[in-house]
Amino acid sequence: MKNLFAALMLLISTMASAQNISGTWTGVINAGVQKLHIVFNINKDKAGKDVCTMDSPDQSAKGIPTELVYISADSLSVKISAAAIEYNGKLEGDSIKGTFTQMGMNFPLNLKKETLRYNRPQNPAEPYPYTTEEVKFYNNPADAILKGTLTYPAGYKKGDRVPVVLMVTGSGPENRDEELFEHKPFLVIADYLARNGIASLRYDDRAVGKSIGKTVTMNTKEVADDARCGINYLRDLKKFSMVGLLGHSEGGSVAFILGAEDILDFAVSMAGPGIKGDDLLYSQFKKISELSAKPYSMTKEQYIDYVKKMDNPWMNYFIDYNPMQDIKNTSCPVLAINGDKDVQVIASLNIDEIKKNLPNNNKTVIKIYPGLNHLFQPCDTGLPTEYINIEQTISEEVLKDIAGWINAL
């Protein structure tokens, strides 16, 4: 009898699945001080089984696997055990009405069948007036294969000698476009450079996109190891007049690490650190707390001790890394830039140290942009919570300055 009942339920479930609520469903959680978009993507795998992933676009998280507890023509129940998340909803009219639960806290979450889209007017659209090529280079000691896009300038012909920049992303696993909230700053920069006579290579970080490699213990030194292989690859092509590096945030540190090795013809540091990691983290913590009206009572020592207890390999290396000596040993021309509303790498603290420690070079330019945040966007406060709502990906003035400086070398 139980087996017959189970078979009947399986049949009912299969029939319901045939007309299920597949597709992309989007809603907003009101968490008091912040509203968060939640997206459920319900599809079928190759075997025809229902699967569901969750996106949290405001936290730049996509494709989070969920356990599909139950699905029918009008009901959905999913959970993510590792994050203590559950969602239970029922189709009413054209909406799924339900409750999102995390860590025991319940929030109403009603979903509409729609795809969340943001206006990003600077993202270039094909066809491009220049040529791109899919390439790959190797970091053999790390067993890593880095794949990316080599972009040639508009009008480029075989034999032309043009400058090229290797682009290195900020901290954390990022794709070749350094994509965040559908902003694609490296794509925008590559497009602008190509329209102004400069080639570029941007690549997916290890284990991101099409790149292969282990990231478990990866730190800034290993990011620099990958970038060094990219610089060597570009030199080996023997196509370019100059080979430089453009790094954002952690990538700015890499610009100085490789600059100190005297393997770059020029370096662009966008919001690159100029002070020791523990000082940078604490200044960031204080600034964000102040702007968020959240009082803090931890001293620097207490905060750093708290961070170290996370036992994160990247963070442990970052805390101890002091860029001063690498900056002092960077003799190539440098463009070091920052926004004065950057709350992650505070301009007044970091640019001053870069300026103090860089060797004299009449081609070096150091500049702070009024009103720009860590991503070089015009902003109100500079808080990361604003990134998603800002339409401009990167200041046009910054793009013009980067291309103009490289072409003037």
Side-chain angles (χ1 to χ4, degrees):
M1 186 69 178
K2 287 183 178 179
N3 289 340
L4 181 60
F5 178 74
L8 178 61
M9 292 304 295
L10 179 61
L11 175 61
I12 292 172
S13 175
T14 302
M15 291 171 63
S17 183
Q19 52 176 348
N20 67 19
I21 48 179
S22 62
T24 298
W25 294 82
T26 301
V28 179
I29 292 172
N30 189 341
V33 295
Q34 188 178 11
K35 292 183 178 180
L36 293 174
H37 288 87
I38 298 294
V39 180
F40 289 109
N41 307 291
I42 307 166
N43 299 292
K44 290 184 181 295
D45 63 15
K46 292 180 180 179
K49 179 183 177 183
D50 291 305
V51 292
C52 178
T53 61
M54 189 187 88
D55 303 337
S56 180
D58 302 325
Q59 297 170 312
S60 198
K62 290 186 177 181
I64 304 167
T66 75
E67 179 185 344
L68 195 51
V69 179
Y70 178 75
I71 185 171
S72 71
D74 65 353
S75 298
L76 175 68
S77 178
V78 300
K79 68 179 181 179
I80 305 172
S81 299
I85 288 174
E86 292 185 20
Y87 179 72
N88 294 285
K90 187 175 180 60
L91 188 64
E92 295 183 17
D94 62 353
S95 300
I96 297 177
K97 296 186 177 180
T99 302
F100 183 95
T101 303
Q102 184 169 24
M103 300 293 186
M105 294 184 291
N106 296 325
F107 303 94
L109 176 57
N110 298 330
L111 306 170
K112 286 281 190 180
K113 197 169 189 178
E114 59 187 12
T115 300
L116 186 63
R117 299 191 185 281
Y118 299 100
N119 187 28
R120 302 292 182 246
Q122 285 179 295
N123 284 348
E126 298 187 64
Y128 304 133
Y130 48 80
T131 301
T132 64
E133 180 184 357
E134 287 294 298
V135 300
K136 60 184 175 182
F137 58 92
Y138 301 86
N139 181 344
N140 290 322
D143 198 25
I145 303 173
L146 292 310
K147 298 184 180 182
T149 303
L150 180 57
T151 301
Y152 295 93
Y156 176 84
K157 301 183 298 295
K158 186 176 180 180
D160 287 351
R161 302 286 288 175
V162 297
V164 65
V165 293
L166 180 79
M167 299 188 186
V168 183
T169 65
S171 60
E174 299 197 56
N175 68 19
R176 67 190 70 187
D177 296 330
E178 202 186 35
E179 186 172 353
L180 181 71
F181 306 130
E182 295 184 25
H183 286 295
K184 299 179 179 181
F186 276 14
L187 172 62
V188 173
I189 294 171
D191 177 81
Y192 192 91
L193 294 180
R195 295 170 190 269
N196 287 275
I198 302 164
S200 64
L201 172 56
R202 62 191 197 277
Y203 60 95
D204 298 327
D205 292 346
R206 291 187 203 176
V208 176
K210 297 180 179 179
S211 290
I212 299 168
K214 296 179 181 178
T215 62
V216 176
T217 61
M218 198 165 186
N219 55 40
T220 306
K221 178 183 179 300
E222 291 171 292
V223 175
D225 291 341
D226 287 349
R228 186 184 302 105
C229 295
I231 292 294
N232 292 336
Y233 167 78
L234 290 172
R235 288 204 182 279
D236 289 343
L237 290 177
K238 301 185 186 304
K239 292 181 177 180
F240 306 106
S241 58
M242 297 185 296
V243 178
L245 188 149
L246 180 151
H248 176 239
S249 198
E250 182 184 27
S253 288
V254 172
F256 292 123
I257 292 171
L258 299 191
E261 296 177 10
D262 201 26
I263 65 171
L264 303 178
D265 294 320
F266 62 90
V268 179
S269 172
M270 302 180 67
I275 59 178
K276 191 167 177 280
D278 57 353
D279 292 324
L280 187 146
L281 281 177
Y282 188 60
S283 64
Q284 179 187 112
F285 165 68
K286 287 198 303 179
K287 189 68 174 178
I288 292 176
S289 297
E290 290 166 1
L291 291 173
S292 303
K294 296 178 180 178
Y296 64 92
S297 57
M298 283 191 279
T299 64
K300 174 188 165 184
E301 291 71 23
Q302 289 171 328
Y303 181 68
I304 297 304
D305 183 61
Y306 168 77
V307 173
K308 282 184 173 180
K309 286 178 180 177
M310 298 178 188
D311 197 27
N312 179 289
W314 179 89
M315 189 68 75
N316 291 340
Y317 183 93
F318 183 80
I319 286 170
D320 292 332
Y321 174 64
N322 189 336
M324 181 181 68
Q325 199 57 50
D326 287 328
I327 294 171
K328 284 184 174 181
N329 292 335
T330 297
S331 58
C332 68
V334 172
L335 174 62
I337 58 178
N338 220 150
D340 76 346
K341 288 196 173 182
D342 187 338
V343 301
Q344 293 173 255
V345 180
I346 297 171
S348 59
L349 298 176
N350 290 274
I351 285 290
D352 284 354
E353 288 300 305
I354 291 172
K355 186 175 183 178
K356 183 171 74 175
N357 289 303
L358 263 180
N360 289 330
N361 188 310
N362 60 9
K363 294 182 178 179
T364 287
V365 174
I366 298 173
K367 184 173 181 178
I368 297 176
Y369 294 84
L372 300 188
N373 62 20
H374 187 61
L375 303 184
F376 293 87
Q377 301 168 307
C379 63
D380 293 325
T381 67
L383 286 170
T385 50
E386 293 180 332
Y387 295 163
I388 195 169
N389 295 315
I390 299 172
E391 292 189 354
Q392 188 175 48
T393 295
I394 184 170
S395 160
E396 291 285 347
E397 181 184 2
V398 171
L399 293 171
K400 182 179 179 180
D401 285 350
I402 292 172
W405 180 80
I406 294 172
N407 281 325
L409 292 174

